């Protein structure tokens, strides 16, 4: 098991290196002069030349990329071109809000998606199954930014029940969590339903019922445990997708997270902040996938036995 974890960690290195290289290349060769972004439109040519020399913008591309990678190795993500603050400090100050938002979205998806999926599978072709299927299709189809705007208009503007922006108080978590977690809930519900239908048709389920086991024990102890493996995969992938979806949700609800920071950085063409935010997203997504793989071993004894 330890060798597997170490191998997965080592595999992250070329993936992250390739991601940084591609993104750095795109931003480096994008139209425009970075010195103008740093100095502003009113900067003189002499000032622009000083900025190019100070930030190493006159160096060859490979030298600039090497200097940036050396800074990442030393956990130095550079300085924001707009605010002149440390990129690492700005990102890690906002990172907890983004992680909390994505975690609450996945939690909402699991708490509602798994029970609805179980009920839909055990009551196949019933009115409950049809309603859950329609609800799941709506959850997947409705964009989270549109849902967020509609909730602000209804619950904040019309009814005045919930605050439209912010993320400091628990009451401010409700609408962002629902907006970002609805799609995840629908996907988890559909995956739980299909996985449960496959499991409850297996021979060992018929054997458990033939032995006189209660239906509750058959469903939750025998079928659900085997059906959770693909659900776990979907939940882990959805966590990574929700990190990306947080960009829109944080912007709509004015949440001080990495998503809103990335939007501001893209608009201002602040390359160090863009690179730092995307790199942190990639590392988080990769670590979550690793944790999901490790979780498999605790869910399924057959997988755990492969690492002994």
């Amino acid at each position: 098991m330890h060798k597997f974890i170490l191998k997965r960690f080592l595999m992250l290195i070329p993936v992250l290196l390739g991601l940084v290289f591609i993104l750095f290349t795109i931003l480096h060769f994008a139209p425009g002069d970075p010195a103008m972004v740093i100095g502003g439109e009113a900067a003189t040519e002499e000032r622009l030349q000083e900025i190019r020399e100070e930030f190493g913008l006159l160096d060859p591309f490979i030298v600039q990329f090497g200097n940036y990678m050396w800074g990442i190795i030393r956990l130095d993500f550079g300085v924001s071109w707009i605010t002149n603050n440390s990129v690492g400090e700005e990102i890690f100050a906002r990172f907890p809000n983004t992680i909390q938002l994505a975690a609450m979205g996945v939690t909402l998806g699991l708490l509602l998606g798994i029970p609805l999926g179980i009920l839909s599978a055990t009551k196949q072709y019933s009115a409950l199954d049809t309603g859950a299927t329609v609800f799941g299709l709506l959850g997947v189809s409705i964009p989270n930014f549109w849902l967020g705007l509609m909730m602000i208009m209804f619950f904040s503007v019309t009814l005045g029940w919930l605050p439209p922006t912010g993320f400091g108080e628990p009451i401010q978590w409700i609408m962002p969590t629902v907006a970002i977690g609805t799609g995840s809930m629908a996907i988890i519900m559909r995956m739980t339903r299909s996985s449960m239908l496959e499991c409850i048709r297996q021979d060992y389920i018929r054997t458990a019922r033939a032995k006189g086991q209660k239906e509750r024990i058959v469903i939750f102890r025998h079928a659900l445990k085997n059906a959770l493996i693909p659900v776990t995969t979907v939940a882990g992938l959805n966590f990574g997708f929700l990190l990306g979806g947080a960009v829109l949700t944080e912007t709509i609800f004015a949440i001080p997270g990495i998503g809103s920071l990335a939007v501001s950085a893209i608009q201002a063409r602040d390359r160090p902040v863009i690179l730092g935010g995307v790199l942190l997203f990639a590392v988080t997504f990769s670590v979550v996938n690793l944790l999901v793989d490790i979780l498999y071993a605790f869910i399924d004894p057959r997988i755990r036995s492969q690492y002994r």
Side-chain angles (χ1 to χ4, degrees):
M1 192 66 178
H2 297 86
K3 293 182 180 179
F4 169 75
I5 297 175
L6 179 61
K7 181 180 178 181
R8 287 298 305 272
F9 268 117
L10 293 177
M11 290 174 61
L12 293 180
I13 297 176
V15 172
L16 297 177
L17 181 62
L19 174 67
V20 174
F21 178 78
I22 293 173
L23 186 60
F24 189 91
T25 303
I26 294 174
L27 295 176
H28 178 81
F29 291 104
D33 186 1
M36 292 289 294
V37 177
I38 302 172
E41 297 181 357
T44 62
E45 185 60 34
E46 291 77 9
R47 175 55 183 160
L48 293 178
Q49 191 66 19
E50 292 177 0
I51 292 174
R52 295 186 185 103
E53 294 179 357
E54 178 182 355
F55 286 87
L57 300 176
L58 298 176
D59 296 334
F61 165 76
I62 193 66
V63 175
Q64 294 186 41
F65 178 72
N67 291 334
Y68 182 75
M69 289 303 302
W70 175 243
I72 291 179
I73 294 174
R74 295 182 289 112
L75 299 180
D76 180 11
F77 295 92
V79 177
S80 171
W81 290 351
I82 305 301
T83 63
N84 203 32
N85 295 327
S86 171
V87 173
E89 293 179 359
E90 289 194 3
I91 288 178
F92 287 109
R94 295 168 174 256
F95 186 58
N97 290 336
T98 301
I99 288 294
Q100 180 182 347
L101 179 60
M104 289 192 301
V106 172
T107 302
L108 177 66
L110 291 172
L111 291 178
L112 295 181
I114 292 179
L116 285 176
I118 294 173
L119 290 174
S120 182
T122 54
K123 307 292 183 181
Q124 190 180 15
Y125 303 131
S126 65
L128 177 62
D129 183 25
T130 303
T133 301
V134 173
F135 185 68
L137 292 175
L138 289 175
V140 174
S141 304
I142 296 177
N144 59 355
F145 66 88
W146 184 87
L147 181 59
L149 291 174
M150 293 301 102
M151 286 193 297
I152 290 176
M153 292 178 61
F154 184 72
F155 292 106
S156 298
V157 178
T158 304
L159 300 178
W161 290 353
L162 300 172
T165 59
F167 204 63
E169 301 293 334
I171 194 173
Q172 296 174 321
W173 302 346
I174 298 175
M175 289 197 297
T177 301
V178 173
I180 199 173
T182 302
S184 177
M185 179 198 62
I187 295 174
I188 291 175
M189 188 275 291
R190 296 294 298 169
M191 178 57 67
T192 303
R193 179 184 183 274
S194 61
S195 184
M196 282 291 296
L197 286 175
E198 182 180 352
C199 288
I200 62 180
R201 293 168 180 168
Q202 299 296 319
D203 292 337
Y204 66 90
I205 297 296
R206 286 192 290 268
T207 302
R209 285 171 173 163
K211 289 181 178 180
Q213 291 281 7
K214 295 181 180 179
E215 186 67 16
R216 176 175 54 84
I217 296 177
V218 172
I219 295 298
F220 289 98
R221 181 176 297 180
H222 298 284
L224 180 60
K225 193 171 183 180
N226 290 289
L228 280 180
I229 294 180
V231 176
T232 304
T233 303
V234 170
L237 292 175
N238 265 275
F239 183 83
F241 294 146
L242 292 185
L243 290 175
V247 173
L248 295 175
T249 305
E250 289 176 1
T251 303
I252 292 171
F253 292 98
I255 298 173
I258 298 181
S260 57
L261 178 66
V263 171
S264 302
I266 292 172
Q267 293 174 344
R269 300 188 61 185
D270 194 348
R271 187 168 74 187
V273 176
I274 298 173
L275 286 168
V278 173
L279 180 61
L280 189 58
F281 276 150
V283 171
T284 305
F285 186 65
S286 301
V287 171
V288 168
N289 282 333
L290 174 61
L291 294 177
V292 168
D293 289 343
I294 297 174
L295 187 60
Y296 288 162
F298 294 95
I299 296 177
D300 193 341
R302 296 171 298 179
I303 298 177
R304 184 166 60 248
S305 64
Q306 297 177 7
Y307 302 113
R308 292 178 178 174

